[in-house]
Structure formats: C-alpha cells, structure tokens
Amino acid sequence: MKLLLVLLILIFFVAVGGQDTHRQIYETEKAFEKMIAEKGIRDGFIEFLSPTGMLFMPDAVNGREAWRARPATNAALTWNPVWIDVSANGALAYSIGNSQYRPKGKDDSQIYYGHYLSVWMKQPNGRFLAALDTGIHHEKPAAEPVDWRSPADSGKGSNPNSISAADSAVAFYEMAAASVAAKAYKAFLADDAIVLRDGKLPAFGKKAALALLKTGDARINFAKRKSFTEAIDLGYVNSQYNLVDSKGVEIEKGNFLQVCKFRDGKLRIVADVLVPLPRNGG
C-alpha cells in the first residue's frame, strides 16, 4: 500500500511538473524583472542570460560579455509576458510581452514602449536561462495586457518522424529570396504567429501579421544560419538578413530571430522578429 502511495505521488509530481513549466517561465521572468529593479539592468542580464546567451544590441553579441563591458546604469526596465509557449519535453520555451524603458530611472517621465521576444533554455540544474533575448520599440500602445496565455498545444506537441526544423526551414528561406517576402510568410506562418517589427506595434495572429508584412516588391535574404536549436516540436534560429527592393538594392539589413513549431507534420513560424542595424552602420 505504501509503495502504491509513493508511486501515485511520483506520478502526480511528474504530471504537475510538466504542467508547471509555463509557470516556471513566468516566475523566471518576474524574478528577472525584480532583480533589475533591485540591482540594475546590467546585473540582471548577467544573471539571467546563459553563458552563451545572445542579445541584439542591435548587432548580435554575447549578452553577458556585452553587459560586463558596460558601466552600471540607473535606467529602469519593466515588462510583462503575454505569451508563453514550451516544447513538448519542457527543455525549450519562448515568451513575448510588452516592455517599458525609462532612461533616467523609475520616476522618469520619458518612456520608451516596446515588445520583447525571449528564448529560454533549461539548464542541467533545472533552472531556465535566456538563450537569446531581443525586442522592438514602438509608439505607446492603446493597452498593455497584464495576463499571459499559451497555445492549446503548448507542451503537448510531437514530431514522430523526427523531422529537422533546420532542414524544413530551407524552403521558407528560398521562397523569401525568390519572391516577395509576404508570399513566403503566408505559406509558413502559423495561425497564432506573433510578428515583431521595429517602429510598429506587434501583430498577433497570421491575418494581422500578413497586413504588417506588406512590403511591396521587397524580398528578404536570410544569411546561412549560425545555429538552429531544437527540442522535439520547437526550435529557433538566428542569423543576419537583408531586405532588397525589386531592383536588388539593399534597403535594410540586421539580425533576425525565428521560433518554429511542428504542427500536423509541418513546420510553422510561430514568432518572428527583425532587428535592423542603423543605416550608417553604427
């Protein structure tokens, strides 16, 4: 009887542990924000980025090294996740939310509004650290939600044929380079995709994303991937991109981050952000 009770308890905690991965990501986000409020942005990022964690500042850099090279700042940064999704094995996750940055501290009346996209990776000790963190700035939104949610299949997906997201993504990159960018996105975006573009309010859902992505005859060239990290049904890739007009003239370049998910045996883009470099290269 005692053995049966122990087994039931173990089964319960395994089940609850899987269900609570989303909550763990949320609590990690709030602990990250709390540390920044208490010790500053510099120390907060050093603590919550993984040793190889990347930031777009706006070029891609090792986050810990970049912040260690900077002096401490009194600037204030607050945020709130609105979307949390995890892989089926709970090893990889991403979160999206709204943010507010005050250059002169928490009482500063000057506020820069934005949205962020963070990729979280589970460490050997069970803790989640950010593998990549980036975001955009935009005008003040009409509202800033405080609740978060997840897609219905979050943590429940599968990839029975062990299809590589990296290989499947090639078709998207080839289509984007060969035709207008919106066409490629239309073919590969998930219905609940979230798309972030600097200077514009984020698009939630495929319909809104395609409206945001209307760029005339522009084409996107994605550089050869630097890495593609996968965990069963979820993966992410980051590298460089450039945007060219119908004559092949470059009109923008920068870094991108895409989060992809397998649904019904097909690769779908569930989160996408482009972070342009300044036109003067600075």
Side-chain angles (χ1 to χ4, degrees):
M1 187 69 179
K2 288 182 179 179
L3 178 60
L4 177 61
L5 180 59
V6 170
L7 288 174
L8 289 174
I9 291 173
L10 286 173
I11 291 170
F12 171 78
F13 278 108
V14 167
V16 170
Q19 293 170 357
D20 281 354
T21 304
H22 301 80
R23 172 60 60 175
Q24 187 179 356
I25 296 297
Y26 174 77
E27 291 176 351
T28 298
E29 290 257 23
K30 301 318 288 182
F32 186 5
E33 184 186 36
K34 184 174 184 289
M35 185 171 185
I36 280 181
E38 294 175 348
K39 297 187 176 181
I41 294 176
R42 180 180 180 272
D43 288 355
F45 273 93
I46 291 173
E47 175 68 22
F48 282 86
L49 283 166
S50 74
T52 58
M54 303 294 293
L55 296 175
F56 295 166
M57 301 182 73
D59 215 348
V61 296
N62 179 284
R64 285 188 177 182
E65 293 177 2
W67 276 109
R68 285 187 177 123
R70 290 186 168 200
T73 173
N74 291 324
L77 178 64
T78 57
W79 66 87
N80 190 74
V82 299
W83 189 257
I84 297 173
D85 194 3
V86 302
S87 63
N89 63 357
L92 191 66
Y94 69 98
S95 57
I96 295 172
N98 47 61
S99 64
Q100 295 185 7
Y101 174 75
R102 294 170 171 84
K104 297 179 181 179
K106 62 184 180 65
D107 298 320
D108 192 354
S109 60
Q110 184 178 22
I111 304 173
Y112 292 91
Y113 295 90
H115 272 75
Y116 68 89
L117 169 56
S118 299
V119 176
W120 299 93
M121 191 169 293
K122 197 168 191 176
Q123 306 301 300
N125 63 2
R127 185 186 183 197
F128 277 95
L129 293 177
L132 202 156
D133 183 87
T134 189
I136 60 168
H137 291 102
H138 52 65
E139 64 184 20
K140 182 179 180 179
E144 291 182 290
V146 296
D147 297 324
W148 62 272
R149 58 193 182 93
S150 303
D153 65 342
S154 186
K156 303 174 183 178
S158 64
N159 184 7
N161 297 320
S162 299
I163 300 170
S164 169
D167 293 337
S168 301
V170 171
F172 168 76
Y173 300 135
E174 291 179 345
M175 184 181 293
S179 61
V180 295
K183 181 179 179 180
Y185 278 105
K186 185 177 181 179
F188 285 86
L189 279 176
D191 289 339
D192 57 357
I194 301 174
V195 172
L196 307 179
R197 293 293 184 269
D198 200 50
K200 299 179 181 179
L201 292 171
F204 290 85
K206 184 174 182 177
K207 183 177 180 181
L210 291 177
L212 177 68
L213 292 168
K214 286 183 179 178
T215 52
D217 295 329
R219 290 177 287 115
I220 298 180
N221 298 307
F222 293 94
K224 184 177 181 181
R225 61 182 183 268
K226 293 181 179 178
S227 64
F228 209 123
T229 304
E230 305 178 48
I232 300 183
D233 61 326
L234 195 67
Y236 77 94
V237 61
N238 69 280
S239 193
Q240 298 174 328
Y241 76 93
N242 77 331
L243 193 65
V244 298
D245 63 20
S246 59
K247 297 180 180 179
V249 177
E250 183 178 270
I251 56 178
E252 181 181 298
K253 66 178 179 180
N255 293 281
F256 77 91
L257 166 62
Q258 280 182 348
V259 181
C260 303
K261 196 169 189 178
F262 277 102
R263 284 178 170 156
D264 300 322
K266 296 181 180 179
L267 180 76
R268 292 288 180 260
I269 298 170
V270 291
D272 181 279
V273 58
L274 303 185
V275 179
L277 294 170
R279 291 298 294 170
N280 60 10

